[in-house]
Amino acid sequence: MAPALAVGALTLAVRPPAQGRSSGVRLDLPGACLLAVALACLVRTLVEIPETGWTAATALGLAAVAATGGAFAWHERRATSPLVPSSVLRSATVASALGILVAASASLFGALFVGTYFLQDVLALDPLQSGLRVLPLAVTMVLGAPVCAVLLRRWGLRGTAVAGMALLALGILLLSQLGRAPASPAISGCFLVLGAGFSAVMVTGTAVVVHHASVDTAGVAGGLQQTAMNVGPALGVAAATMLMTLTAPAGRPYGDGPHWTADAFASAMGPALMALAAVAVIGALPAARLPGRTAPVLHGHQR
């Protein structure tokens, strides 16, 4: 660890000589801080609502989200080098892809959060047994990437994105219908469908960012894609936590200890997963703004 830190410190300390003229683009630190505070307040409030209810603290948290979010939007409109350039968001194609990625990652990771506890707490499977049942998700995501490339050529961005979000919603709905003693193939089948849907969405989102962002904003669009893929899971897990606690049977959320009872968790799992499936369905709406099969793909140009 110490040698790695030393090398990193030397790398930061030694700066190469400036070459050419500076572009004048600077990191928007105030915008980054406002966005981070808004997201932190939102996640914190979503997690606290089930435990404390609607109190002054939760109301203050929502007010903080609104205030910092509004301040971020106001700052971005006036900043010389905004964190999110307006030219990127003015592209309906890129903005729609980012919205789809947030919804898809939120619904998937929220479902994985719930599914992990279902496998280990309700079905009493050990981590190895749980991992083997979830393995089809990873396999499908890897094998689905080249298949999705073919689908993009045949169906276009719009058709592939809609199909991916539909599969994602279907997988979550199937997971919500599992009983207290489901067969292993049924569990693995749910995760297989989830992996196929998310793979299609990821490939489509990446294709949009690569081919439909202008040369000047390609780096920003790629950064926004990664941001969407980090914000979505955080919101999905926070929403899943809130929904699970709110839908737990009254007086039976925790049993005799700090953990959920199997009956309480099984009862709360279905409504929470159905809500996450609805997020996937809503996330498919921006796909209608993506180009169809006949639209040409132009690398490095904004559509």
Side-chain angles (χ1 to χ4, degrees):
M1 178 65 70
L5 291 176
V7 172
L10 290 174
T11 303
L12 294 175
V14 179
R15 298 183 179 180
Q19 299 180 357
R21 299 180 58 184
S22 173
S23 63
V25 178
R26 311 177 76 178
L27 178 62
D28 183 16
L29 286 177
C33 292
L34 287 171
L35 180 60
V37 171
L39 292 175
C41 292
L42 178 59
V43 172
R44 176 70 178 179
T45 303
L46 289 177
V47 174
E48 288 292 328
I49 286 177
E51 297 182 2
T52 62
W54 295 100
T55 63
T58 56
L60 183 61
L62 293 177
V65 173
T68 52
F72 173 74
W74 180 86
H75 171 78
E76 291 298 291
R77 292 172 62 91
R78 289 161 175 78
T80 305
S81 301
L83 187 68
V84 183
S86 58
S87 59
V88 175
L89 296 182
R90 279 199 299 266
S91 171
T93 303
V94 176
S96 298
L98 294 175
I100 293 170
L101 289 174
V102 171
S105 58
S107 57
L108 174 69
F109 282 87
L112 289 178
F113 177 80
V114 176
T116 301
Y117 282 96
F118 172 72
L119 293 175
Q120 297 190 20
D121 288 3
V122 177
L123 302 184
L125 301 176
D126 60 38
L128 177 59
Q129 293 172 329
S130 300
L132 290 176
R133 285 161 176 78
V134 181
L135 186 60
L137 183 145
V139 174
T140 308
M141 289 182 64
V142 173
L143 298 180
V147 176
C148 292
V150 177
L151 295 180
L152 282 175
R153 291 192 293 267
R154 293 186 177 181
W155 297 352
L157 296 171
R158 184 190 307 152
T160 307
V162 170
M165 296 301 287
L167 285 175
L168 191 58
L170 176 62
I172 298 174
L173 286 175
L174 293 175
L175 192 63
S176 70
Q177 300 303 310
L178 293 178
R180 290 292 306 276
S184 296
I187 301 174
S188 297
C190 295
F191 288 106
L192 186 146
V193 176
L194 285 175
F198 192 71
S199 177
V201 174
M202 276 293 299
V203 172
T204 304
T206 303
V208 169
V209 172
V210 170
H211 296 291
H212 292 266
S214 65
V215 175
D216 294 336
T217 61
V220 175
L224 289 175
Q225 178 191 8
Q226 294 302 315
T227 301
M229 296 303 300
N230 284 277
V231 170
L235 295 179
V237 172
T241 303
M242 179 185 69
L243 293 169
M244 289 291 297
T245 307
L246 291 177
T247 56
R252 297 177 56 193
Y254 294 103
D256 298 330
H259 301 290
W260 288 64
T261 63
D263 289 339
F265 195 96
S267 299
M269 184 183 75
L273 287 176
M274 292 182 68
L276 292 171
V279 172
V281 172
I282 295 173
L285 298 179
R289 304 178 67 184
L290 296 179
R293 182 171 60 89
T294 58
V297 175
L298 302 177
H299 179 73
H301 290 80
Q302 200 170 10
R303 294 296 305 271

